[in-house]
């Protein structure tokens, strides 16, 4: 009796492959292993990821999870659909999470102090040079403000990243350079960093806004933009070309929103915003983002699933010496000042991330 011939797995119909992928858990290593079978399967996985990410309308919350084997994973959670979109294995323990920007995770190797950019949905990594300076070692595992100027995948790897490296110092790295550039001007208690219209903006602990122009090779310019406006907790957000400062009210749910009215002199000022229109803001310890409720990340007209004129945010709800700190995610309605819980009592999130297809 003749033995059956060896099956040609690469010849499977693309529709059948897509059906198989629909039943696979959206875990990074499953899709990676699946894509290594042959070129056809790799193409099917790529198409699956492209569809998965291009149909995602809002930022995802990065939540830690523990599985039965004790290994830690991170889930990318859609707070509106209340489901995990994707799951990845935790990175090496020595890698410390520092933030996310343009769909990339920003990690620091605590042994070598190299900075690693990691695109979790595609297992793509970019290793940057070592961060120098003793002050950086004392920041522990607190999130530092880290911002990319653009998505490296969309700009032929031409990008700039700026990072808070101590309470008073920032540094930036330009693709193609060999080392980081350390800005000598001290900015008191760096609170937030954002990139908009070709400039980095830095907010200090007293509410003073600075612009940082790093476009010239080997030259940078730091300029004071606004006078102090202190608030215990503030976020900088780019929204449709405008720079917003969102101030969380102390001791109660609520926010105040201001837009920067730009002036070439030192007379720039903050103007209060009472309505966000079609925009929703996602505020977090890393990069905060704005989303149009009527369109997706690619600008296509669609129902994003998020509520317009609203702010999504998370905050700690319980902590103590012997108890685990838990967080809750909320939505704040700007028009009437009301708020409601979206995801009560989850483990401390790392951040929001805005996935984008290649």
């Amino acid at each position: 009796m003749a033995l059956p011939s060896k099956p040609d797995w690469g010849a499977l119909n693309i529709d059948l492959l897509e059906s198989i992928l629909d039943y696979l858990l959206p875990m990074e290593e499953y899709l990676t292993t699946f894509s290594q079978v042959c070129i056809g399967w790799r193409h099917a996985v790529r198409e699956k990821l492209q569809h998965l990410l291009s149909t995602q309308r809002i930022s995802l919350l990065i939540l830690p999870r523990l599985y039965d084997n004790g290994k830690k994973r991170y889930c990318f959670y859609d707070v509106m659909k209340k489901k995990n979109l994707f799951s990845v294995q935790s990175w090496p323990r020595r890698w410390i999470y520092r933030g996310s920007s343009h769909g990339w995770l920003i990690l620091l190797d605590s042994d070598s102090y190299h900075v690693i950019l990691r695109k979790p949905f595609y297992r793509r990594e970019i290793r940057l040079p070592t961060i120098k300076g003793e002050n950086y070692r004392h920041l522990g595992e607190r999130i530092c403000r880290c911002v990319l100027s653009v998505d490296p995948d969309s700009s032929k790897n031409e990008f700039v990243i700026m990072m808070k490296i101590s309470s008073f110092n920032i540094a930036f790295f330009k693709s193609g350079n060999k080392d980081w550039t350390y800005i000598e001007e001290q900015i008191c208690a760096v609170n937030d960093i954002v990139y908009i219209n070709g400039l980095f903006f830095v907010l200090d602990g007293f509410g003073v806004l600075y612009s940082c122009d790093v476009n010239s090779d080997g030259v940078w310019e730091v300029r004071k933009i606004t006078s102090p406006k202190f608030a215990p907790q503030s976020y900088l957000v780019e929204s449709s070309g405008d720079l917003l400062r969102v101030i969380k009210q102390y001791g109660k749910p609520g926010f105040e929103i201001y837009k920067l009215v730009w002036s070439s002199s030192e007379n720039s000022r903050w103007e209060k915003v009472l309505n966000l229109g079609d925009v929703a803001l996602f505020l977090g310890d890393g990069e905060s983002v704005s989303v149009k409720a009527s369109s997706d990340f690619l600008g296509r007209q669609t129902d994003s699933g998020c509520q317009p004129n609203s702010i999504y945010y998370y905050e700690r709800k319980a902590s103590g010496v012997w108890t685990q700190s838990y967080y809750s995610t909320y939505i704040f309605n700007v028009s009437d000042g009301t708020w409601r819980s979206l995801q009560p009592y989850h483990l401390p999130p790392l951040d929001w991330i805005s996935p984008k297809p290649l």
Side-chain angles (χ1 to χ4, degrees), residues 104 117 124-126 150-160 173-176:
W104 292 76
L117 305 181
R124 175 155 151 65
E125 288 184 4
I126 301 175
V150 293
D151 180 352
D153 278 338
S154 66
S155 60
K156 298 181 179 179
N157 285 332
E158 295 180 2
F159 63 91
V160 183
F173 174 80
K174 300 180 72 171
S175 55

Side-chain angles (χ1 to χ4, degrees), residues 8 154 170 218 339:
D8 183 6
S154 66
I170 52 179
W339 59 277

Side-chain angles (χ1 to χ4, degrees), residues 94-99 104-118 125-132 136 144-148 159 161-165 171-173 180 182:
R94 69 178 188 277
W95 289 10
I96 303 173
Y97 177 79
R98 288 307 188 192
W104 292 76
L105 302 177
I106 302 173
L107 306 162
L108 175 74
D109 189 321
S110 60
D111 291 340
S112 66
Y113 287 90
H114 280 93
V115 176
I116 302 105
L117 305 181
R118 189 167 191 256
E125 288 184 4
I126 301 175
R127 293 185 71 88
L128 304 183
T130 299
I131 285 281
K132 300 176 182 177
Y136 195 67
C144 290
R145 300 296 183 174
C146 314
V147 176
L148 284 164
F159 63 91
I161 179 173
M162 181 170 284
M163 178 181 288
K164 169 185 172 182
I165 60 171
F172 67 90
F173 174 80
W180 290 79
Y182 302 88

Side-chain angles (χ1 to χ4, degrees), residues 135-244:
N135 288 337
Y136 195 67
R137 276 99 171 131
H138 300 299
L139 286 179
E141 295 195 4
R142 290 177 296 168
I143 289 179
C144 290
R145 300 296 183 174
C146 314
V147 176
L148 284 164
S149 58
V150 293
D151 180 352
D153 278 338
S154 66
S155 60
K156 298 181 179 179
N157 285 332
E158 295 180 2
F159 63 91
V160 183
I161 179 173
M162 181 170 284
M163 178 181 288
K164 169 185 172 182
I165 60 171
S166 75
S167 296
F168 300 93
N169 299 103
I170 52 179
F172 67 90
F173 174 80
K174 300 180 72 171
S175 55
N177 289 0
K178 294 183 178 179
D179 295 302
W180 290 79
T181 300
Y182 302 88
I183 293 180
E184 296 173 354
E185 287 83 352
Q186 285 199 343
I187 299 176
C188 185
V190 175
N191 181 270
D192 205 354
I193 305 174
V194 72
Y195 183 84
I196 178 173
N197 298 330
L199 295 172
F200 286 95
F201 290 88
V202 180
L203 186 71
D204 77 3
F206 295 103
V208 178
L209 185 71
Y210 298 85
S211 68
C212 298
D213 186 348
V214 299
N215 292 316
S216 300
D217 289 336
V219 179
W220 69 87
E221 180 185 8
V222 177
R223 190 159 65 90
K224 181 179 176 181
I225 300 298
T226 65
S227 57
K229 182 178 176 60
F230 175 76
Q233 192 171 0
S234 293
Y235 306 88
L236 294 179
V237 193
E238 185 275 332
S239 180
S240 302
D242 290 326
L243 176 56
L244 303 181

Side-chain angles (χ1 to χ4, degrees), residues 216-351:
S216 300
D217 289 336
V219 179
W220 69 87
E221 180 185 8
V222 177
R223 190 159 65 90
K224 181 179 176 181
I225 300 298
T226 65
S227 57
K229 182 178 176 60
F230 175 76
Q233 192 171 0
S234 293
Y235 306 88
L236 294 179
V237 193
E238 185 275 332
S239 180
S240 302
D242 290 326
L243 176 56
L244 303 181
R245 181 186 180 189
V246 185
I247 298 175
K248 190 176 187 305
Q249 295 181 5
Y250 182 72
K252 62 178 181 178
F255 296 88
E256 292 181 354
I257 308 167
Y258 296 87
K259 179 177 72 174
L260 180 67
V261 180
W262 177 265
S263 173
S264 57
S265 64
E266 293 188 3
N267 296 323
S268 299
R269 58 185 176 83
W270 294 109
E271 181 180 89
K272 193 163 188 177
V273 175
L274 301 177
N275 194 303
L276 291 172
D278 189 39
V279 170
L281 304 180
F282 290 78
L283 306 182
D285 293 330
E287 183 185 42
S288 298
V289 298
S290 66
V291 174
K292 284 193 173 182
S294 61
S295 62
D296 60 16
F297 290 126
L298 300 178
R300 299 173 300 194
Q301 294 298 308
T302 184
D303 180 9
S304 67
C306 64
Q307 180 175 300
N309 198 28
S310 299
I311 296 174
Y312 293 78
Y313 67 103
Y314 53 82
E315 65 179 15
R316 181 162 42 186
K317 298 305 296 179
S319 64
V321 176
W322 304 111
T323 59
Q324 169 71 54
S325 294
Y326 285 91
Y327 284 65
S328 290
T329 303
Y330 299 93
I331 176 173
F332 175 78
N333 189 316
V334 175
S335 60
D336 60 15
T338 59
W339 59 277
R340 60 184 174 90
S341 174
L342 286 175
Q343 182 70 17
Y345 306 117
H346 53 70
L347 291 174
L350 289 183
D351 209 350

